Amino acid sequence: MADLALDPRMELNPPLVRGGMTYTDVTAKISSIVEGKPPKQWYIAMAFAVPLALLLFACLGYLVATGIGVWGNNSPVGWGWDITNFVWWIGIGHAGTLISAILFLFRQKWRTSINRAAEAMTLFAVACAAIYPLFHTGRPWRAAYWLFPLPNELLHMWQNFRSPLMWDVFAVSTYGTVSALFWFVGLIPDLATLRDRATTPLRKTIYGLLSLGWRGSATQWRHYELAYLLLAGLSTPLVLSVHSIVSFDFATSLLPGWHTTIFPPYFVAGAVFSGFAMVVTLMTLARWIYGLENLITMKHLENMCKVMLATGMIVGFAYGTEFFIAWYSANQYERFIFLNRAFGPYWWAYWSMIACNVIAPQFFWFRKFRTSIPAMFILSIFINIGMWFERFVIIATSLHRDFLPSSWGYFKPTWVDIGTYAGTFGLFLTLFLLFLRYLPAIAISEVKGVLHQQVSAGHAAHGGSH
Amino acid sequence: MNELIQLNLSSLTGRKYWRSLNQLADTPEFRQWVEREFPEGASELLDSGSRRTLLKLMAAGFGLAGLTACRRPVEKILPLSKGVEGYVHGRPLHYATAVEACGVATGLVVECNDGRPTKVEGNPRHPYSLGATNAFQQAMILDLYDPDRARQVQKQGVKSSWADFEAWWLEQNTKLGDGSGLRILSPRSTSPTLDALKAEIAKKYPQSVWVEYEPVSFDRVLEGARLAFGQPLQPHYRFDQADVIVALDCDFLGLDTLSAQPVRQFASRRRPEEGRELNRLYAVEANFTVTGAMADHRLRARASDIAAFALALARELNVTGAELNIVNQPAARERKFLAAVAKDLLAHRGRSLVVAGPRQPAEVHALVAVINQALGNTGQTVSYTRPPYQPSDSLAAVQKLAEDLAAGRVSTLFVLGGNPVFTLPATADWAPLFRKTTAVVLAADENETWKAAAWQLPEAHPFESWGDVRALDGTASIRQPQIQPLYGGRSALEIAALIAGRTERRGHDLVRSFWAAQWGAGAETKWKKALYEGVIEGTALPPVDAKADAPRVFAAVQAALKPAPPGVEAVFYPSWHAFDGRFANNAWLHETPDPMTKLVWDNAALLSPATARRLGVKDGDVLEITSGGRQARCPALVLPGHADDSISLQLGFGRSACGRVGRSVGHRVEGLRAASNFWFGPAEVRNTGATYRLVTTQEHHTLVEPITGLKRHNIVEEFTLGEYRHRAEHGKHEPHPATDLFPEFDYSKGYQWAMAIDLSACIGCNACMVACTAENNIPVVGKDQVSKGREMHWIRLDRYFSGEEDDPQAVMQPMACVQCEKAPCESVCPVAATAHSPEGINEMAYNRCVGTRYCLNNCPYKVRRFNFLNWNKDVPEIRKMVFNPDVTVRMRGVMEKCNYCVQRIEEKRSQAKAEGRRPIRDGEIVTACQQACPADAIVFGNINDPESRVSKLKRQARDYSVLEELNTRPRTSYLARVRNPNPELV
Amino acid sequence: MLEAVLSKLGLPGYEPEAARQKFYGVIADFDTPEDLLRAIRTARAAGYTRMEAFSPFPIHGADEALGAPRSPLGRIVIVFALLGLAAAVLLQWWTGAVDYKLIIAGKPLFALEPSVPIMFELAVLLSAFAAVLGMFHLNRIPTYYHPFFNYSRHPGASNDRFLLAIEAQDPKFQPEEAVRFLESCGSRHTEVVEA
């Protein structure tokens, strides 16, 4: 603690908690979101989100009843929007754990006021992602059961553990579970706070049960902090592994445009890229809805813009490398598939991707854009779109023209494709808004921890602590 | 249905079963229900061509079909190989039979499961089948179970009965007197029994006229012979004896021949390993046919310029008498071609052959006869016999019929099959003419002719009725039914017997008594033998020693041959889908793409890229074609390699009165067809500006990539004969040794199944596709789904063009699952639903598949097919009767693909086991595609046996694997296409 | 009635009369972490051994000051990580190479290379559960009753107060004396808390 207190950065950098807030202020401010009546904006957002979520269920119902023929998938394009959206959502889901785990390990204190929301975002994004592998078979009841190594009565068969899809099942479910644990462990002390502030018996009971009788004793804090540290340590390789394994779905195939060793790092960078973009989008919204300017400060947002700039550059570099390797490999099919991406029937998808992922983030070189809420809001949305196109380009354009020209084809989405995708947004937003409404969106105890360091750092500045 | 079938079989006789179902059928509720199933005009609700149509199509006829499903023929019929005594439930029986179309008969063997015919196969004993079939014969089985067939005797659309009809006829024929008011219109028939009946009718009604008409006929061939030899003769070509073949507008490998024989003979000379010199084929044609695709040299020429070309060729060959003024001078390219061809022909006197297509006028056929004679081919590569039927000038006859009808000279008109109102030349408006008289129409479905009839009689399917036919060489066969008429139909033979006033009117009695009369003593054994073998020995016609009268021919040619007018011509061809309209309601054929255009569920006006540019037309633009003062609309489709200024139109589409599959599918072009331009004639073409969606299973992608312009290798390999010889000397090039991460799997034990496909022999005739569809219960998905790329064929024919767009070469490549030893599909399936059998077959566990489609994505050959929707949803009982009981019907969400007909492998395995655990002999197992292939291009067998045919083929120098460098180790390898170009033309 | 049942079960707070502690201890209330730490150090100096501190966020140095041992959680997690690894290998080897052999793409029935991803994932999954459940166990949560909650100002511990308890088990424990001592340390509010 002392080292942190005397850490010169702490005073050079703008404070992470502004407006001279006290511990009580922090408690009050964050708890009030949960305890008070939600603002008008919240209801507006819900009115937008819930119908979309219902659309999702309608589309899925239609799909299950009819078969995936209601989507645009065909031969040769066996995977269309379904897996595109799966990879996209999983990518979104990366920022949360990254912020909570990796930044935690690197002692990046600025994470504290955003990590809770980011983790929630991760969970909801993973939930949205999981819908696709489950439903893209058209018969989810089969997929759900047979994709896990459970003894089954029909054939007494087991899974094929050589299949990257099998790895996916393990990676994604593990990731979802661990993120949930991580998130809940983080919540316990804050739930205790809400319990202690609760006025109605109902709230007291619910928060009481959820907080597991947390007392905040030194003993508890001791085990708690170690557990949290261990979870962070576990999540860090996990978060890197998930998108690496998702990328194996493509990298281990023999399809030109998929069969590349660059995919794991490229996908992880892309995931972080899109994840942070989504965090920025949501944080700027949450800030607007709940006026959290003092907790989600410009410093937080600017840091995230820097991360987007960095990962965006990595992704752009990967695009270039792909082309170079395709040329360098002197493999006819490789060369064709990449030229076909840029100049074939799907050229528009490719160039939208470049515009959104490579060009858009360049604005973050300038402080003006890094510190302008509207600018980063718009750019983050561009990046989300661009990352969607990246997945679409990788999947659809590689599939639609592979080895035998006789079986070349084209993919067109149907209204069900579009409805399902729009619907996942509805689900995601609904869950996120409910989270904002009923759970502390900012880690109260952690913020207090940071505040305490600021205070003591303040003391240190005025002639050291006693 | 199924347990009812079993019930029937388990019971000793069908009687009990019958009674029970009769009761069912007789309940009024059931009757009502059947009515409800297909209300009048319900079909109007359905959009044609869509998959829904298809699912709905057989909603009709549930009940009756069910009733008749298991009816056994009442008469005794004998199986080809296994005796009825030894009938084992679940084991199929095979019966020999024969069918005819356009006067061309082919012997078949029909497989029956539990009393229902399910699969058509060729009869090896029949000279025109040789065990193979064409796509149409394969698809006939579906027509048998088509619920849109005519099912009810009607009088002006009012329900009636055979009894009523016979009663009507008995009092009607008394009014006929000498029969001057009696006309009988029938398709071309080769039936000796029917001939006998014709004679009787002619005796009974001296003034009656019997007209035989076929929209696709070979009359002009016989007319040409009459011109050349003074008598109509049927030419018989020996393509296996010819070293040089010149085909003048003659698609003798495709639709201009209706039997497998020419293909088999031709293909036998395309295999360089077999010692005999490779033959060389020159094709001169307007449309780009499969024959043109097989040709070593191809000259694009309008159909109307063929005559001039033939004449020029005759002169080039210095045929005596050919010194007459050549109408329009051939172009330079053409002259070069002519010279080379002539030289080649002269170098192969007696071992060459010139053939002309049935579209060409009699003069051209006469000319060809003279040329062949001059080349000394007569008796060597071509011989002549009397035709198997009474030739007649159909066009003149139907013209006369039209006049008689118009003049009201006809009181009774019998139409014994076919669909004349749709197919007759457009010189007259036939439907009203038919209505002017009492038209008694025997029709297979409720077609245009049926609608115009006074008496409407359902015709029995060839597999439902007795009959007899004569092949082109006269070889006679008995047509024995496989099942009792599903809808109580009767055959033309039976109606003819009625007209002739015979007392015996059952087809069986008619045919049997006729042949008994022929045979005299020992008829019983001969009859059994005939049924058993499917051919009647010693019925082939003797060759006629014919001498062509060259001067007369040239005189005739001189007189007939007018300079072909410049400008666009319209040419009529039968179609690969509906042929001449008789298969218009056959979903299997509609879904099987045209070999050259890959078009499905439509016909189109084919034209060359140059002509398209000139007319400013692109694919799908609806053209208005005017010919002989008549007009028709048809969407355009640009076909590389098509002759300029020529428009190819396919017959048999745009049926107005038809079952729900075929109704208003495509565009009717028969309306342009008159006697004058029956096959081709000058035409004007106008782009209407309207567009129409044409769906092809394959875009016009060549092996050349669009963006890079590079040619893709390792997919189709082609050599010239020279290149092949060089390769043969230096031995087969071995694949680069690939280093693997893991040790090789041991496939050295037991049977290891594999396949070799010979691209030199394959003509791309689609027979394998339809055979596979029939054998493996492959669903039909309809135009819309095909347009989404969801067709389900396990084997497809990839067609690749090479060379420049205007005059390319084409090559066909049958592509089914190649059964990779290192199958990319297997390693990616999360649930191990696709895995390898120890015998090297990549198998699908349908009930394990969850449908991730990862295997499809990872298959470099894209041969996996996914059930995107439940294609078999609400398939009615009758349609289910065509299903092969040995093959699972797949549900939605399941991946499927070729498995080397594993059911056939297992059948033979159990048979071998039953016969004392002997090993399975090479060639014993025949896959459906291999069996149907007329070119014998597909060979299946065990590669662990070095002596097996497939092993030998795989050792040949031109054996290669598609996409070898991926190291997937396909079990199906290909034999490279070898071309035999004329050095003077390359 | 309920009381009787609960006491039979011997649940915390409901122990039979004999076994029951009269007091939980004395709890004092400080303004800042620094005050709390100072109080702990003084109390230790004064010879108190059984103490517990309560705070809204972890105070670095508190446990050292209280003389708490190192948490054993790390060792628990390692064990489970290895278990997960082993389970993954066994699963993939047994299902593929023993129980149901299938020829897949001509590949070996079991190989380590394709097994790595699932080995990793299972290891992580089990250790994550170990970390969380282990923590629950060590912290004895969920426990919905604790005498600490009898302290009138206990909610402060989850807001902005920093509490120190001298527990009754402390051999040196004398309620009055403890109260006096803690007030001398600058406690804002000191209370004897019923058990």
Side-chain angles (χ1 to χ4, degrees), chain A residues 64 69 71 73-74 78-79 82 136-139 142 146 160 163 249 253-254 332-333 336 402-403 406, chain B residues 711-712 788 790 798 800 828-830 832 847-850 852-854 857-858 862 868 891-893 965:
Chain A
V64 170
W71 282 348
N73 303 45
N74 59 40
W79 288 347
D82 43 9
H136 88 301
T137 64
R139 295 180 302 165
R142 287 201 148 189
W146 283 353
N160 168 21
S163 166
D249 289 347
S253 81
L254 49 59
Q332 183 182 15
Y333 304 113
F336 174 73
D402 64 346
F403 294 96
S406 67
Chain B
K711 186 171 186 300
R712 289 206 162 173
K788 291 193 172 79
R790 293 173 180 174
D798 291 349
Y800 295 110
V828 298
C829 175
N847 53 352
R848 174 68 173 175
C849 177
V850 298
T852 66
R853 300 184 300 290
Y854 198 176
N857 295 342
N858 209 28
K862 288 289 175 281
F868 285 92
M891 84 173 285
R892 79 167 155 99
E965 75 274 24

Side-chain angles (χ1 to χ4, degrees), chain A residues 63-79 82 136-139 141-143 146-147 152 154-155 157-160 162-166 248-250 252-255 258 332-333 336 339-340 343-344 399 401-409, chain B residues 697-699 701-703 705-708 710-715 788-790 796 798 800 815 824 826-833 845-854 856-862 864-866 868-870 891-894 962-963 965-966 968:
Chain A
L63 175 87
V64 170
T66 319
I68 78 127
V70 301
W71 282 348
N73 303 45
N74 59 40
S75 169
V77 187
W79 288 347
D82 43 9
H136 88 301
T137 64
R139 295 180 302 165
W141 59 91
R142 287 201 148 189
W146 283 353
L147 285 178
N152 64 83
L154 180 53
L155 295 165
M157 278 178 76
W158 295 104
Q159 284 65 22
N160 168 21
R162 302 167 189 79
S163 166
L165 281 189
M166 211 57 226
F248 289 165
D249 289 347
F250 309 102
T252 61
S253 81
L254 49 59
L255 198 71
W258 282 15
Q332 183 182 15
Y333 304 113
F336 174 73
L339 288 169
N340 187 54
F343 308 111
L399 282 170
R401 287 184 170 182
D402 64 346
F403 294 96
L404 300 190
S406 67
S407 22
W408 286 359
Chain B
T697 59
Q698 184 183 340
E699 293 156 45
H701 290 306
T702 64
L703 285 168
E705 293 171 351
I707 299 164
T708 62
L710 300 169
K711 186 171 186 300
R712 289 206 162 173
H713 300 286
N714 304 325
I715 294 175
K788 291 193 172 79
R790 293 173 180 174
R796 62 171 196 263
D798 291 349
Y800 295 110
M815 181 58 72
E826 289 174 358
S827 51
V828 298
C829 175
V831 293
Y846 299 130
N847 53 352
R848 174 68 173 175
C849 177
V850 298
T852 66
R853 300 184 300 290
Y854 198 176
L856 166 68
N857 295 342
N858 209 28
C859 172
Y861 309 94
K862 288 289 175 281
R864 295 186 147 256
R865 300 300 191 193
F866 187 67
F868 285 92
L869 297 165
N870 184 357
M891 84 173 285
R892 79 167 155 99
V894 170
V962 175
L963 300 174
E965 75 274 24
L966 295 179
T968 53

Side-chain angles (χ1 to χ4, degrees), chain C residues 15-147:
Chain C
E15 297 89 350
E17 208 48 49
R20 186 177 290 185
Q21 290 270 352
K22 192 160 183 315
F23 299 115
Y24 162 67
V26 175
I27 301 184
D29 175 342
F30 301 92
D31 291 336
T32 67
E34 289 72 19
D35 298 348
L36 176 63
L37 282 171
R38 216 177 301 111
I40 296 170
R41 297 207 182 90
T42 341
R44 293 272 293 181
Y48 286 103
T49 49
R50 299 294 305 275
M51 291 183 291
E52 182 63 280
F54 303 87
S55 59
F57 54 86
I59 298 167
H60 296 265
D63 23 5
E64 292 88 334
L66 290 164
R70 246 180 111 263
S71 168
L73 200 54
R75 273 159 277 146
I76 300 174
V77 169
I78 279 289
V79 172
F80 276 85
L82 295 174
L83 272 177
L85 215 60
V89 177
L90 273 173
L91 173 72
Q92 298 181 72
W93 166 77
W94 183 75
T95 55
V98 179
D99 185 48
Y100 203 125
K101 299 193 180 76
L102 277 173
I103 312 169
I104 304 273
K107 290 183 175 161
L109 296 174
F110 174 77
L112 211 56
E113 296 88 336
S115 312
V116 168
I118 290 177
M119 285 158 64
F120 171 79
E121 296 297 336
L122 275 190
V124 170
L125 187 63
L126 266 69
S127 21
F129 272 111
V132 174
L133 299 179
M135 185 269 279
F136 283 9
H137 172 69
L138 294 169
N139 282 344
R140 302 286 182 279
I141 51 174
T143 312
Y144 291 107
Y145 173 82
H146 193 279

Side-chain angles (χ1 to χ4, degrees), chain B residues 236-549:
Chain B
H236 298 283
Y237 304 117
R238 296 291 309 277
F239 292 101
D240 53 342
Q241 300 301 329
D243 300 342
V244 176
I245 302 164
V246 180
L248 303 175
D249 184 22
C250 182
D251 186 10
F252 68 90
L253 297 173
L255 292 170
D256 289 348
T257 173
L258 293 162
S259 68
Q261 186 204 47
V263 182
R264 182 66 58 92
Q265 290 182 348
F266 176 82
S268 71
R269 297 295 306 277
R270 299 303 294 189
R271 298 190 174 87
E273 296 80 8
E274 294 182 2
R276 299 181 69 186
E277 183 187 343
L278 227 62
N279 66 12
R280 180 174 294 143
L281 172 61
Y282 300 90
V284 184
E285 60 180 13
N287 190 359
F288 200 167
T289 66
V290 293
T291 308
M294 289 303 286
D296 300 293
H297 294 287
R298 180 167 173 275
L299 182 70
R300 301 180 303 137
R302 298 188 308 165
S304 37
D305 292 336
I306 296 292
F309 181 90
L311 199 51
L313 180 62
R315 202 172 72 154
E316 197 76 22
L317 293 164
N318 307 317
V319 180
T320 46
E323 314 80 3
L324 27 73
N325 61 320
I326 296 298
V327 291
N328 50 357
Q329 279 296 331
R333 183 170 174 285
E334 215 168 309
R335 276 204 299 283
K336 183 161 179 277
F337 187 89
L338 259 175
V341 172
K343 193 157 167 235
D344 213 358
L345 284 172
L346 291 168
H348 294 83
R349 289 176 168 282
R351 287 179 292 112
S352 59
L353 181 57
V354 180
V355 293
R359 279 169 298 281
Q360 291 301 318
E363 291 76 15
V364 174
H365 291 280
L367 209 46
V368 163
V370 170
I371 291 172
N372 278 325
Q373 181 167 299
L375 289 168
N377 296 335
T378 314
Q380 302 298 317
T381 57
V382 57
S383 60
Y384 299 90
T385 64
R386 283 191 295 100
Y389 50 83
Q390 290 308 317
S392 59
D393 184 351
S394 298
L395 289 179
V398 294
Q399 192 51 46
K400 178 76 171 59
L401 177 63
E403 287 156 14
D404 293 350
L405 284 167
R409 283 193 287 272
V410 182
S411 64
T412 312
L413 170 67
F414 277 90
V415 178
L416 303 183
N419 183 9
V421 167
F422 181 81
T423 59
L424 279 167
T427 35
D429 187 3
W430 292 95
L433 288 180
F434 276 39
R435 292 204 183 83
K436 284 183 69 162
T437 174
T438 315
V440 180
V441 170
L442 178 74
D445 62 329
E446 301 188 359
N447 56 30
E448 291 79 353
T449 315
W450 171 282
K451 299 279 186 229
W455 275 101
Q456 297 149 324
L457 312 176
E459 183 183 17
H461 190 275
F463 294 160
E464 290 175 336
S465 59
W466 285 92
D468 52 2
V469 297
R470 302 192 79 179
L472 278 180
D473 69 351
T475 308
S477 306
I478 306 292
R479 189 179 78 229
Q480 52 180 344
Q482 312 299 318
I483 186 170
Q484 277 281 67
L486 290 168
Y487 302 127
R490 292 191 187 178
S491 66
L493 206 55
E494 289 164 327
I495 304 300
L498 182 70
I499 301 169
R502 283 276 196 95
T503 49
E504 62 178 10
R505 290 180 202 149
R506 303 242 315 281
H508 172 260
D509 309 342
L510 294 165
V511 177
R512 188 155 185 181
S513 59
F514 172 84
W515 286 101
Q518 303 295 308
W519 285 320
E524 182 60 25
T525 42
K526 284 208 174 109
W527 172 257
K528 281 188 175 171
K529 195 159 181 293
L531 294 184
Y532 176 81
E533 292 183 339
V535 291
I536 301 175
E537 275 177 10
T539 45
L541 294 160
V544 178
D545 180 18
K547 181 88 185 64
D549 181 348

Side-chain angles (χ1 to χ4, degrees), chain A residues 415-438:
Chain A
W415 68 267
V416 189
D417 279 298
I418 298 161
T420 315
Y421 183 42
T424 46
F425 278 101
L427 180 64
F428 179 79
L429 281 177
T430 311
L431 292 170
F432 194 77
L433 288 164
L434 289 173
F435 157 75
L436 286 181
R437 173 80 182 80
Y438 294 107

Side-chain angles (χ1 to χ4, degrees), chain B residues 153 161-174 176 182 184 193-194 196-198 200-202 204-205 210 412 414-416 440-442 455 457-458 490-507 510:
Chain B
V153 177
S161 70
W162 284 109
D164 296 350
F165 167 68
E166 286 178 4
W168 169 83
W169 169 247
L170 287 180
E171 64 91 23
Q172 173 76 5
N173 68 352
T174 55
L176 286 174
L182 175 62
I184 301 170
T193 310
L194 189 61
L197 288 168
K198 279 183 197 166
E200 287 178 34
I201 292 168
K204 190 152 181 262
Y205 305 107
W210 186 306
T412 312
F414 277 90
V415 178
L416 303 183
V440 180
V441 170
L442 178 74
W455 275 101
L457 312 176
R490 292 191 187 178
S491 66
L493 206 55
E494 289 164 327
I495 304 300
L498 182 70
I499 301 169
R502 283 276 196 95
T503 49
E504 62 178 10
R505 290 180 202 149
R506 303 242 315 281
L510 294 165

